[in-house]
Amino acid sequence: MTGSRRRQWRTVMTGLLAGSLVVLMGACGAVDTEDDRRAAEDLAEKHFPGRLKAIGARTLFPGTGGSEVTFAVNGDRDAVVRLRIDTDKHGRGSCDRKDCVGALTEAVERGRRQAEDFRTLASAFDACGYEIVALGPTGAPPYVVAELTNATVTRVLGEIGQCVRRWVAASGPDSTSAKGQGAYVNVVSPAVADRRKRGDGSWPALMRLTRSDLLASLTKHAHVSVSYEIEAGRVDTTGSARVVRPFRERQKFGETVHDAVEERLRPAYPGVVVSDYQWIWRLERGRVDRQTGYVLFCPEPDARGRCVDSDDAALVTADEKGNVVGKVRLVHDVRDGSGVLRLPPY
């Protein structure tokens, strides 16, 4: 009987504490965010009257404290302004330990500049037939839609490369893209793109296209990332592609490859141990069903039965599931004197 009452008491207290904590956290988050949003709106109306409209706010607790308030810019359907603000009980706000007027002015300038950059990017891709359906969290890389097969991959990658060339040229010789060494474009299939989280069409483009739920709806499926080399502002439109897989698919692919390589190497190295490290797998040119990459291995395990800091590698080609096809080429002495991995290009 006593034990039963104790269990009931613990259950009641646990429920009360949990409920109190939820209420406390919810109340704190709601009050803080409302205060922060109100302070940000007052600041915007005073220094940018009629030009900014608050469209959202999220708490930054427990990361940095305060809130991030998001504004649309009247007259600019693409621009979004994000201000981080933390308001005290007296209504005074600080913005990442900076003066809030200066922080908001910088945020507005940054939002407009990013909107101009986005329009240059989107116009270049629209002109060659590829709509941008999403952007990385910082505005890059762009995501476009295409069905990649062995019959289409060379043509599609070349067309997207022409989009990148247009974009770099339109950005001007002093732009970040022209001065960079490369650009990336992510390609998702039409089936995945059709099921994406589109968001509210009234939101500014740079808010709608960089949302975490949109990116999650695209990246929870395998997609292709294409890199284009840029040298002195000139773009190599050929492109080099790799498959980006969700975590579980990537792990399964790696395990299949490693098991196959270990089986291939065991006749020559009876004690071989293959490293868990996964190198970058690149699609073979003109193929989407063949990819090549390195697998690190140790001819003998260390004292704990592992393969650490391997100085040997196998260059292999695998199919979509990780089954090794063709010959395995061994490369030795793949680390320099300081232990840094130096794998030959392929």
Side-chain angles (χ1 to χ4, degrees):
M1 188 74 172
T2 303
S4 176
R5 284 198 298 269
R6 285 176 179 170
R7 283 193 297 272
Q8 291 173 359
W9 175 250
R10 283 198 298 269
T11 301
V12 170
M13 289 303 297
T14 300
L16 288 173
L17 289 171
S20 299
L21 181 60
V22 169
V23 171
L24 179 61
M25 290 179 68
C28 289
V31 172
D32 288 348
T33 302
E34 289 175 2
D35 289 346
D36 289 338
R37 176 168 178 157
R38 191 177 303 111
E41 288 178 310
D42 291 344
L43 189 72
E45 188 55 35
K46 181 176 180 180
H47 297 280
F48 294 90
R51 294 156 69 185
L52 300 179
K53 177 184 178 182
I55 54 175
R58 66 182 183 93
T59 182
L60 297 174
F61 177 84
T64 59
S67 308
E68 182 182 78
V69 181
T70 303
F71 295 91
V73 178
N74 291 332
D76 191 330
R77 60 188 179 84
D78 299 318
V80 62
V81 174
R82 293 183 173 92
L83 178 71
R84 293 193 167 197
I85 185 169
D86 193 358
T87 309
D88 63 21
K89 63 181 180 180
H90 302 294
R92 294 186 295 265
S94 64
C95 299
D96 282 342
R97 300 182 181 179
K98 300 177 183 177
D99 171 64
C100 281
V101 176
L104 180 59
T105 301
E106 290 178 8
V108 171
E109 292 174 353
R110 182 168 56 252
R112 286 175 170 165
R113 184 172 63 252
Q114 290 172 342
E116 284 297 328
D117 291 343
F118 166 70
R119 283 188 280 271
T120 301
L121 172 67
S123 295
F125 276 72
D126 285 343
C128 56
Y130 288 89
E131 177 192 3
I132 294 174
V133 297
L135 295 165
T138 61
Y143 288 72
V144 299
V145 183
E147 192 70 70
L148 296 179
T149 65
N150 286 347
T152 65
V153 62
T154 300
R155 172 181 59 81
V156 171
L157 265 55
E159 290 174 350
I160 295 174
Q162 291 295 337
C163 298
V164 175
R165 176 176 285 176
R166 283 175 177 263
W167 169 48
V168 171
S171 298
D174 295 326
S175 65
T176 301
S177 57
K179 291 181 177 179
Q181 295 181 328
Y184 290 86
V185 180
N186 289 330
V187 183
V188 298
S189 71
V192 170
D194 287 345
R195 297 193 299 271
R196 71 186 186 275
K197 300 286 187 180
R198 297 173 184 270
D200 191 326
S202 67
W203 292 340
L206 284 177
M207 176 182 178
R208 180 167 41 83
L209 296 179
T210 59
R211 293 180 351 271
S212 58
D213 63 334
L214 168 61
L215 296 176
S217 71
L218 296 175
T219 58
K220 71 179 181 180
H221 305 280
H223 63 278
V224 172
S225 175
V226 191
S227 61
Y228 295 92
E229 292 184 1
I230 302 175
E231 185 176 354
R234 293 187 296 274
V235 179
D236 180 354
T237 60
T238 306
S240 176
R242 65 185 182 92
V243 178
V244 180
R245 297 178 177 83
F247 176 76
R248 291 189 182 280
E249 286 186 31
R250 185 170 68 251
Q251 291 298 104
K252 186 175 181 180
F253 175 87
E255 289 170 1
T256 302
V257 172
H258 292 175
D259 289 346
V261 170
E262 191 172 87
E263 184 178 345
R264 293 277 191 103
L265 295 179
R266 197 168 298 285
Y269 303 101
V272 67
V273 178
V274 175
S275 170
D276 291 334
Y277 179 79
Q278 285 204 41
W279 192 245
I280 297 172
W281 291 85
R282 300 198 181 280
L283 289 175
E284 289 193 355
R285 296 202 182 278
R287 303 287 295 264
V288 295
D289 59 349
R290 294 289 184 272
Q291 45 208 301
T292 300
Y294 280 106
V295 174
L296 302 180
F297 71 93
C298 297
E300 297 289 340
D302 64 12
R304 299 177 64 181
R306 304 173 306 169
C307 179
V308 180
D309 296 332
S310 168
D311 201 25
D312 300 279
L315 183 62
V316 300
T317 298
D319 64 14
E320 303 106 309
K321 295 182 178 180
N323 299 306
V324 174
V325 296
K327 295 181 179 180
V328 173
R329 182 164 68 88
L330 302 187
V331 183
H332 305 287
D333 302 321
V334 296
R335 295 186 187 274
D336 63 19
S338 62
V340 176
L341 199 58
R342 304 289 187 189
L343 291 168
Y346 56 91

